[in-house]
Amino acid sequence: MTFKFLFSLEIETNRIKNTLSKIDFYNKNGYKIFLPNNFDINNNNNQYIEKLVLKEYRKEDYDEVSNFLNIKIIENINKINIAFQQTDFILEEEYNIFLTKYGVGGSYNPPREIILNFQAKEKEKLLKTIIHETIHLSINDLIIKYNISHWEKELIVDLFFDNILPEFNIPQNIKLETNRIEVIKNIFKTNFPNTENIIKKIGGMV
């Protein structure tokens, strides 16, 4: 498993347009959204977006983060690979990581794209986001197959993360009832590492 970093003005423009298309969902679920200064969310014109991105785009910012994370990955890749071998995930050989200053903290596009907002948290915590989104990509087909809700999905990712690489994880504030969280945790505990069994049983909960 390897990671390749990508960034460009075009990537940033597309990131903002994608964020605008999901802004109601992000607001509903309490996500912090990063946009260019003085950005009008009602204006999704390409030229307008490109102009504001260009004002803030400094290639050296992206180079710095890319170099930092490449070092972090090299230092930790053996540990990460061994951890993922504890699961039955089907992993991609390479993942493309699109660096951005905009949108939410992290997101993903199957089968192997990770979007990483490096302004959303300290550099030292960005590796956590990469691992988090890699887990998302690894279980995405089953999440869709068993119709798992958003916050159930996020809890499942956290449980896998805590189980295989707890030293890197920062658990989220999961917006589910406490009883439901405990039931899901029990399903996970009794079925790990069988990913499909875990997700199937959570999907069958009333």
Side-chain angles (χ1 to χ4, degrees):
M1 181 165 58
T2 60
F3 299 94
K4 179 181 179 182
F5 292 94
L6 302 163
F7 52 87
S8 70
L9 283 166
E10 182 181 4
I11 288 171
E12 289 295 46
T13 300
N14 289 335
R15 173 63 166 175
I16 291 170
K17 293 187 73 174
N18 181 265
T19 298
L20 294 176
S21 73
K22 299 177 179 178
I23 201 161
D24 290 342
F25 170 83
Y26 291 143
N27 286 332
K28 178 182 176 182
N29 286 282
Y31 284 96
K32 184 175 181 180
I33 301 167
F34 293 78
L35 292 167
N37 288 330
N38 303 314
F39 188 84
D40 178 4
I41 63 171
N42 296 309
N43 190 343
N44 64 355
N45 177 271
N46 262 13
Q47 288 184 326
Y48 170 73
I49 295 172
E50 288 170 1
K51 181 179 178 181
L52 290 184
V53 168
L54 188 58
K55 278 185 179 180
E56 299 182 352
Y57 190 85
R58 296 174 68 249
K59 182 177 179 294
E60 52 267 37
D61 294 341
Y62 300 78
D63 284 329
E64 179 185 347
V65 173
S66 176
N67 292 336
F68 174 83
L69 287 172
N70 269 317
I71 292 170
K72 281 292 182 184
I73 288 170
I74 290 168
E75 291 173 348
N76 291 284
I77 194 63
N78 287 339
K79 184 184 294 185
I80 292 169
N81 282 329
I82 290 169
F84 273 88
Q85 287 168 13
Q86 298 175 50
T87 73
D88 59 0
F89 295 165
I90 297 173
L91 299 168
E92 300 293 323
E93 288 187 11
E94 182 178 76
Y95 293 88
N96 289 329
I97 300 178
F98 296 88
L99 294 178
T100 181
K101 294 181 177 181
Y102 307 114
V104 293
S107 51
Y108 58 95
N109 293 319
R112 61 189 189 96
E113 291 183 359
I114 294 169
I115 302 93
L116 177 64
N117 182 344
F118 62 87
Q119 288 205 132
K121 53 174 64 77
E122 301 95 327
K123 283 194 301 183
E124 289 72 18
K125 296 179 180 177
L126 292 174
L127 184 58
K128 177 265 181 188
T129 304
I130 293 172
I131 297 168
H132 178 94
E133 302 304 336
T134 304
I135 296 172
H136 268 301
L137 289 168
S138 302
I139 67 175
N140 185 65
D141 287 347
L142 293 172
I143 294 295
I144 294 170
K145 180 178 179 179
Y146 293 109
N147 196 31
I148 302 299
S149 73
H150 175 72
W151 286 110
E152 288 171 345
K153 174 182 68 174
E154 293 299 329
L155 177 56
I156 292 167
V157 169
D158 267 355
L159 291 171
F160 272 111
F161 205 154
D162 274 338
N163 207 272
I164 65 173
L165 282 167
E167 65 268 39
F168 290 104
N169 195 26
I170 304 169
Q172 303 171 85
N173 178 23
I174 301 295
K175 296 177 174 63
L176 293 172
E177 293 180 358
T178 302
N179 288 345
R180 194 167 188 84
I181 290 174
E182 291 307 313
V183 171
I184 291 172
K185 285 182 176 180
N186 187 57
I187 290 172
F188 182 91
K189 183 178 179 180
T190 56
N191 289 275
F192 180 84
N194 191 319
T195 304
E196 182 152 14
N197 272 1
I198 292 168
I199 296 174
K200 181 178 181 180
K201 290 183 178 181
I202 293 170
M205 292 170 59
V206 177

